Amino acid sequence: MAGVQTAKAGIKYRPDIDGLRAVGVLSVVAFHIDASRVSGGFVGVDVFFVISGYLISAIVFLEIAAGKFSVLSFYERRIRRIFPALFCMLIVFSAAASFYLLPIELVDYGKSLLAATTSVANFYFWQHSGYFDAPTSNPLLHTWSLAVEEQFYILFPICLLIVRRYFPTRLRLGVVILFFLSLAASALTVAFSPTTAFYMPYTRAWELLLGTMLSLGMFPRLANAVLRNLATLAGISLIFFSVFKYTDKMLFPGLAALIPCVGSMLIIGAGEFGPTLVGRLLSWRPMVFVGLISYSLYIWHWPIILMRAAGLYVTLNDILPNSWAARLPGFRFDILMEIVGSFVLGTLSWRFVEQPFRSRPPRVTRKTLFALSGATVAALIAFSTTVIGARGFPGRFPAQSVKIASYLNSRIENPGSLGACLITDDDRSAVLVQDECLQIVQGRSNYLMLGDSHAWALWMGLRKALPGDNILLASVSNCKPLLHPSGTIPCVREMKYIFEKYLPSHPVQELLLEARWKAGDMKGLGETVDWARQHGIPVVVFGPVAEYDAPLPRLLAYSIAFNKPQMAHHHLLEVPAQVDAEMQRLAATEWHMPYVSLYQATCDSGGCTEYADQAHDVPLMNDADHLNEPGSSLIARRLIDRGELH
């Protein structure tokens, strides 16, 4: 076969590729633990896709060239590589989830378990993940990438056999055509549905095919050491650039994914022809070891992080108030547990689960492997369907805990019911519709609430507390109400429309600004205030609300179940209070305008309000930082009673 002849005569072990695996997995783990520091760490998955496409294609093409390729053997290798560690994690996590996850979360877990077991997790999360979802509404979220790979490799050998049979001289051309078709699909799809582009196999296949093209010898031969070093330096720079400069608010994958993928291609391709400085660094033994355990580390890290998000363990201060850790500023015991736990379980899984199934000669025969896999799949499917049918076994928790937990994940109000008044990340093609959201009513006071999803949350309460006024809403998720926002394309588009077209031609009594403010927003907010003053538009700025490091309903439910009444208080974040104090100062000394402190309306010296009703049946929030409708109404009434709204 033309093209197959370019496959390597042998597949030599390359420690630098294991080191590259380490870069990929460490990026993903760091992103999931603290996305604020490693904002683009999610591209580690793209690095994995290129590596996988390269190595697996190289093995397949070598077998085809030797006339030894077998579809059955190919699938056996995939099962040995993927299923043992995956099934082990699913079994262990299912046992833990059965004891600790709240009923509503256990149902979510059962659904995601069913999807992960049947290798359709990417389709499941495509339909069930969104901006307002809490992390525990996406148990096993990380298995989406495994599903994409498995779907690719189900079709991959079949396509190879068809090409081998009918187009034996067109293998390279076929791979190139499929590569560009998939890349074009990714670039087009991400523009109108980023979620679809993120999860679909046809928008991700080009990343694996990039590795396939490498294995077919399509990378230029770099015999010159200087050129090899330049190529690998450029490659690692591209990866690090995307890891630290990308954010989850950008259009991705699409063309943006080319940067980390091309970076990976440069390192792998240049390393084929000789040693490089980057290759030596990646071949450092600790990096190689992390690369060896990378699959198990990836499999285990997300469940461990999920345990923290679910409030299953708390900071060391919660457990040992007088401990030495309590005296360390900023020390987070839960993050330490995530890091250590991920590496310990990843290492154990690699040593005692992965290796026994992959060793040569295999300790587990093909017949036993298939039988064990089939039995495990059947057991996991039976467990997940039972959990779903039993509605998460609510009898495991006190009735009050279950009631509070029912408010998790914004299930009370669906942002989609608001029409086009709130543009979420799930539908970036939407636009603010003037008739629904921005309609001026003659004879009434018209106020425009402008900002992100926090503006939407506050608007729900204001419109009920002030029924005689017409409170308009223009909100875009993850979008600050600034003249020059740095958010998504819809954010930039809609803010430009509001400031350049709508406000100059639609007089409002006041412009109300609200967002999830950060310290870095103050300069831009000052510019917005100056612009409004120049245009004769009165402005009121609302500050941040109290925030938690886990969804408030979960913290309250666990505080009841485990008799820890101060649990939610211990999980308060410090940043909102600091930002609130700074905004009060700027409003008084520089902006000279009204400022409404939502933080002070929520918190005082005795603590923060956690419930929206006196009976303590309704939490103030449905997640970690958005007021729900009852909570928003409560805060709005407080502001009116304090004379800050009228």
Side-chain angles (χ1 to χ4, degrees), residues 89-106:
M89 181 273 292
L90 293 178
I91 292 169
V92 172
F93 191 37
S94 295
S98 299
F99 284 99
Y100 293 111
L101 287 187
L102 294 162
I104 196 171
E105 296 170 331
L106 189 59

Side-chain angles (χ1 to χ4, degrees), residues 174-187:
V175 170
V176 171
I177 290 174
L178 290 175
F179 169 83
F180 281 108
L181 285 176
S182 175
L183 179 59
S186 184

Side-chain angles (χ1 to χ4, degrees), residues 93-275:
F93 191 37
S94 295
S98 299
F99 284 99
Y100 293 111
L101 287 187
L102 294 162
I104 196 171
E105 296 170 331
L106 189 59
V107 170
D108 285 334
Y109 176 77
K111 294 176 180 177
S112 62
L113 174 63
L114 188 61
T117 302
T118 54
S119 295
V120 294
N122 56 326
F123 290 102
Y124 173 80
F125 292 116
W126 171 51
Q127 293 292 329
H128 294 88
S129 61
Y131 172 72
F132 288 93
D133 288 348
T136 49
S137 66
N138 293 332
L140 311 179
L141 176 64
H142 63 319
T143 60
W144 74 267
S145 61
L146 306 183
V148 168
E149 274 203 50
E150 291 313 294
Q151 289 154 22
F152 177 84
Y153 289 122
I154 286 173
L155 298 176
F156 185 63
I158 298 174
C159 291
L160 287 179
L161 291 177
I162 293 174
V163 171
R164 182 185 183 187
R165 175 68 176 84
Y166 296 104
F167 311 101
T169 62
R170 294 289 184 268
L171 178 59
R172 283 190 175 191
L173 178 62
V175 170
V176 171
I177 290 174
L178 290 175
F179 169 83
F180 281 108
L181 285 176
S182 175
L183 179 59
S186 184
L188 293 173
T189 304
V190 78
F192 65 85
S193 182
T195 302
T196 301
F198 192 89
Y199 288 116
M200 289 299 99
Y202 62 84
T203 57
R204 292 288 192 164
W206 67 268
E207 302 180 32
L208 292 128
L209 289 170
L210 188 61
T212 299
M213 291 193 293
L214 270 176
S215 70
L216 286 170
M218 296 184 183
F219 192 88
R221 182 176 182 82
L222 297 180
N224 185 286
V226 174
L227 292 178
R228 287 200 305 273
N229 278 286
L230 288 176
T232 53
L233 284 171
I236 201 69
S237 298
L238 290 174
I239 293 174
F240 284 151
F241 172 83
S242 55
V243 166
F244 292 104
K245 295 298 182 181
Y246 280 15
T247 72
D248 57 1
K249 298 178 179 64
M250 66 189 298
L251 291 177
F252 193 90
L255 297 178
L258 275 170
I259 289 183
C261 289
V262 169
S264 304
M265 179 195 70
L266 289 171
I267 293 172
I268 297 171
E272 286 188 330
F273 304 106

